[in-house]
Structures are given as structure tokens and as C-alpha cells.
């Protein structure tokens, strides 16, 4: 029988983490706090800092064990915005009317606190035949080049491995337990520049206007039907997000014009196949108009899917046991660090209701924190059963 006194208080740990001002790329004391708590529970902790980013790897159990379950999450948070817009201190973890307020309350210090607390209690009370691993980064909200990627690079070098991984991002739209993420869409951004010849608007024949050419290109791109969706994904989307000349004069034809296009794509495509398609459209418009069009490309991640099976089944059973809901398996939303973990092992995401993430007065329902901890504890017990 579990000793109730020995239970790790996930609500208190969430509050302690919120009080750490860990706005990307600042560590803010969050990983120092977690390392102390985990080390005291018998976890072997290693700081895997890279490029000015703080990361923490914690393992309970022998390295290279035949069975190892991992959690991944981040303690860095986005900026608070205007302080005067907050009704409570954004790093105060103040409680009111059943809520805890603070930057990172939902995204995702509560998730980290819950899986850390669940892991501590599990290995302390029922030491498993295997390893429990926590890979926690301070670079999810930033460029994400030296966060989870650095942890995975270090793990490969050191012979560390997770068999399965659960990312604790907030996944539920409105009700606790309604959704898990079994994959994510890919994301890529094109930054186009059309180059013409500047001139007087009264003498357009002496100039070469790049604006109509780039407008033609983005109109064609916006009209593309990339696909009609796949088995686990909605249709891919393409959005024109900027169109700029930076031209303050109404009587000058500009020499350059720029536009930005963001694509969220499913597993019918890769970034390479979409790049070929988009650049072919740009080349066609350039040939038709005589305007030089170049681009700069940024790929945030490829689409991926963890096929429903052992991991998603364990998550579903635990969620249903604690909430009475069977979570929908979804691939909606933006990107997360699961896009990196999926190259290492099967990965699923499950966490809290995320309605207030990145908002002023970000807050977490106090009753959901112990509920999430219990879900993570059930998953560990199921895996090592």
C-alpha cells in the first residue's frame, strides 16, 4: 500500500517551476530545481547544455536496460507581453477560484511537474525492472536547435535510449482527456523576393514592376489544392502571411517586393516534394513576367505519424481510467518536440487543456494537475507491468 505522506505534490512542484522566470533562452532556475528533486529520488542527472541552452537528462535505472520509458517536455516559456495586462504576477503562481496563474502554467510547466512527480513516486514506491527517463529542454519555444535535438544527439553518443516516449504538451482542446496527439503536420516557410527595376510610376515602360509578378505567384499558390487529407491527417494548408514592398511613395515603382508563405503539410508530402512543386510555380511566373524570383526556405519539421498500437493504447487506458473519456487520436495543431523524438522511438503526446497557453493570465485548473499526474503514473505502471 502506498504511503500517502511520500506522495510528490505535483501542484506545489508546478508552482515552484512557474516561479522560475525561464523565458527562452533563460534557464531561470527551473532545471536546477528539477535536477535537485530528481537526484534526491535516485535519478542519475546530467546537464546537456549546448549553444547557451540548458537541458536536463535524468535516468532512474541502469543505462541500456532492455526496457526504458521516457518523458519529454520543456521548462522554457514565451515572453509575458505587457505586465500591466496580467491580473496576477506572471511568475507568482498565485491561486484563485480553482486556478493557478502564471506563464508556463499550461505550456508546459504543469506537464513537466506531473511527469516528474509521477516518475519519482513510481520508482520510489514500486521500483521497476527497467529505466525511467526524463528528457527536459529549455529550448522548445525558441529555435529548438539546441534543446531536444541536443539531448537526442547526446543520448546517441552515450548509448542512452528510450523504447517509448510520451511528450507532456497540452493536447486537450476544451476538456481533460479528450485528445492525444499521435503525429504532427510538417511545417515549412518560403520567403520570396521578386526583383525588378525601380522607376517613376508615370513612366512604367522604363521600369520593371515586381509587384504584379509576385502577386500572381502568391495568388496561384493560395489557389493550390495540395491534397484532400490522408488516413490520419486533415488536408494540407498553404497560407500567404505577408506581402510587402516597403515603399512609402505612391509615384515610385519599387525595385523589390517580398512575400512569405507558410505550409502545414500531412504525410502525403515531404518538404522536398513541396519545395519542388512551389519552386516550379515560381519559375513559371518568372518566365511569364521576366521578373527574377528567388526564395529562402525554412523547414521546421516533417510530418510524422506514430501508428496506433501499444503506446497509444496505454495512454487511452490511463486517460479513460482517470477521466472517463477515451481520447481522440489526433494530428492537429502546430509543431512540437515530438517531431524530433519520432526519429528516436515511437512517441505520443498527452497533456492538459491548452486554451490559455501563450495568453495573458495563462492558467491551469488546479484539479487537473493531480489528475494528469495520476494518468502518467498509470502509464508507467502499465508499461512495466
Amino acid at each position: 500500500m502506498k504511503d500517502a505522506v511520500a506522495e510528490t505534490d505535483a501542484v506545489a512542484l508546478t508552482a515552484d517551476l512557474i516561479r522560475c522566470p525561464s523565458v527562452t533562452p533563460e534557464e531561470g532556475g527551473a532545471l536546477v530545481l528539477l535536477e535537485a528533486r530528481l537526484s534526491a529520488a535516485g535519478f542519475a542527472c546530467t546537464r546537456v547544455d549546448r549553444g547557451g541552452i540548458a537541458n536536463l537528462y535524468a535516468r532512474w535505472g541502469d543505462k541500456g536496460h532492455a526496457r526504458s520509458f521516457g518523458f519529454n517536455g520543456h521548462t522554457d516559456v514565451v515572453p509575458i507581453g505587457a505586465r500591466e495586462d496580467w491580473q496576477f504576477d506572471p511568475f507568482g503562481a498565485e491561486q484563485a477560484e480553482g486556478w493557478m496563474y502564471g506563464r508556463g502554467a499550461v505550456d508546459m510547466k504543469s506537464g513537466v511537474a506531473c511527469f516528474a512527480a509521477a516518475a519519482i513516486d513510481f520508482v520510489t514506491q514500486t521500483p521497476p525492472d527497467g529505466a525511467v527517463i526524463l528528457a527536459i529542454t529549455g529550448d522548445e519555444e525558441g529555435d529548438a536547435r539546441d534543446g531536444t535535438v541536443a539531448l537526442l544527439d547526446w543520448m546517441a553518443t552515450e548509448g542512452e535510449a528510450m523504447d517509448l516516449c510520451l511528450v507532456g504538451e497540452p493536447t486537450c482542446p476544451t476538456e481533460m482527456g479528450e485528445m492525444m496527439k499521435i503525429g504532427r503536420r510538417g511545417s515549412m516557410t518560403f520567403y520570396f523576393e521578386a526583383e525588378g527595376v525601380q522607376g517613376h510610376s508615370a513612366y512604367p515602360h522604363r521600369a520593371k514592376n515586381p509587384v504584379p509578378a509576385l502577386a500572381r505567384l502568391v495568388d496561384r499558390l493560395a489557389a493550390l489544392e495540395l491534397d484532400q487529407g490522408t488516413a490520419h491527417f486533415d488536408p494540407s494548408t498553404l497560407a500567404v502571411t505577408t506581402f510587402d514592398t516597403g515603399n512609402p511613395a505612391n509615384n515610385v515603382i519599387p525595385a523589390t517586393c517580398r512575400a512569405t508563405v507558410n505550409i502545414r503539410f500531412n504525410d502525403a508530402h515531404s518538404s522536398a516534394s513541396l519545395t519542388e512543386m512551389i519552386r516550379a510555380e515560381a519559375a513559371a511566373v518568372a518566365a511569364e513576367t521576366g521578373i527574377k524570383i528567388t526564395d529562402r526556405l525554412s523547414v521546421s519539421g516533417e510530418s510524422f505519424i506514430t501508428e496506433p498500437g501499444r503506446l497509444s493504447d496505454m495512454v487511452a487506458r490511463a486517460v479513460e481510467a482517470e477521466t472517463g473519456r477515451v481520447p481522440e487520436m489526433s494530428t492537429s495543431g502546430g509543431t512540437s518536440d515530438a517531431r524530433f523524438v519520432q526519429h528516436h522511438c515511437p512517441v505520443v503526446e498527452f497533456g492538459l487543456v491548452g486554451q490559455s497557453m501563450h495568453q495573458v493570465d495563462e492558467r491551469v485548473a488546479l484539479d487537473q494537475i493531480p489528475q494528469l499526474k495520476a494518468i502518467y503514473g498509470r502509464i508507467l505502471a502499465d508499461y512495466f507491468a
Side-chain angles (χ1 to χ4, degrees):
M1 183 175 179
K2 290 184 179 180
D3 181 358
V5 177
E7 292 283 341
T8 304
D9 188 342
V11 174
L13 183 53
T14 297
D16 288 343
L17 289 174
I18 289 173
R19 295 186 185 106
C20 299
S22 52
V23 178
T24 310
E26 297 300 322
E27 185 271 331
L31 293 181
V32 172
L33 169 65
L34 287 167
E35 182 175 359
R37 300 285 179 88
L38 292 165
S39 296
F43 283 78
C45 294
T46 306
R47 282 287 291 271
V48 187
D49 296 1
R50 190 173 82 179
I53 298 296
N55 303 295
L56 177 65
Y57 181 85
R59 172 178 38 79
W60 187 96
D62 294 335
K63 174 176 157 180
H65 200 284
R67 294 196 297 172
S68 58
F69 191 92
F71 290 95
N72 171 256
H74 65 92
T75 55
D76 63 316
V77 298
V78 297
I80 65 170
R83 171 64 184 89
E84 61 270 20
D85 292 339
W86 288 71
Q87 61 175 317
F88 298 109
D89 179 355
F91 298 110
E94 297 185 54
Q95 298 181 25
E97 299 181 345
W99 298 90
M100 183 185 296
Y101 288 78
R103 177 58 82 222
V106 170
D107 189 15
M108 59 166 287
K109 290 183 173 179
S110 49
V112 172
C114 287
F115 68 60
I120 289 170
D121 287 357
F122 182 70
V123 303
T124 302
Q125 298 169 7
T126 55
D129 179 21
V132 177
I133 292 168
L134 279 62
I136 307 170
T137 179
D139 188 36
E140 197 272 348
E141 300 290 7
D143 293 333
R145 297 189 184 97
D146 294 309
T148 293
V149 174
L151 283 161
L152 293 169
D153 288 347
W154 178 86
M155 288 171 66
T157 300
E158 296 296 320
E160 301 274 0
M162 301 179 288
D163 293 336
L164 300 173
C165 184
L166 181 61
V167 177
E169 287 280 1
T171 58
C172 300
T174 59
E175 300 289 339
M176 185 64 175
E178 64 185 324
M179 183 179 289
M180 71 172 93
K181 301 292 178 71
I182 62 169
R184 292 278 187 163
R185 297 180 297 176
S187 177
M188 59 194 297
T189 302
F190 283 91
Y191 302 90
F192 290 105
E193 180 170 343
E195 182 180 345
V197 177
Q198 182 176 315
H200 198 298
S201 60
Y203 306 97
H205 58 286
R206 297 177 182 173
K208 205 169 187 179
N209 196 339
V211 176
L214 194 56
R216 184 183 302 187
L217 174 60
V218 297
D219 181 59
R220 286 189 185 181
L221 296 180
L224 289 175
E225 181 182 67
L226 298 176
D227 55 72
Q228 296 184 334
T230 64
H232 294 290
F233 288 88
D234 290 335
S236 302
T237 62
L238 183 152
V240 180
T241 58
T242 64
F243 193 96
D244 308 290
T245 63
N247 182 12
N250 67 358
N251 61 348
V252 175
I253 294 171
T256 59
C257 184
R258 297 175 180 85
T260 304
V261 173
N262 180 257
I263 305 173
R264 302 300 172 109
F265 58 96
N266 60 34
D267 55 352
H269 310 277
S270 67
S271 61
S273 67
L274 286 168
T275 298
E276 184 178 0
M277 177 193 305
I278 300 304
R279 285 179 174 164
E281 293 285 348
V285 171
E288 293 165 9
T289 61
I291 296 294
K292 180 182 178 181
I293 300 176
T294 57
D295 72 75
R296 177 172 60 86
L297 173 63
S298 173
V299 178
S300 298
E302 301 289 339
S303 66
F304 73 93
I305 186 78
T306 297
E307 290 293 336
R310 183 187 181 194
L311 179 54
S312 57
D313 288 348
M314 287 193 298
V315 173
R317 284 193 295 268
V319 171
E320 184 177 17
E322 292 295 330
T323 70
R325 297 185 179 90
V326 177
E328 172 192 351
M329 292 187 289
S330 173
T331 58
S332 61
T335 59
S336 76
D337 277 2
R339 71 190 190 271
F340 306 125
V341 179
Q342 60 101 7
H343 296 295
H344 177 84
C345 68
V347 59
V348 165
E349 300 171 63
F350 180 78
L352 297 170
V353 174
Q355 286 181 310
S356 68
M357 57 184 173
H358 293 203
Q359 294 182 1
V360 167
D361 287 332
E362 183 178 351
R363 58 200 176 276
V364 58
L366 287 168
D367 61 344
Q368 290 182 10
I369 297 175
Q371 195 173 34
L372 183 62
K373 177 195 168 186
I375 289 169
Y376 290 157
R378 282 184 179 273
I379 292 168
L380 284 170
D382 194 352
Y383 175 76
F384 287 104

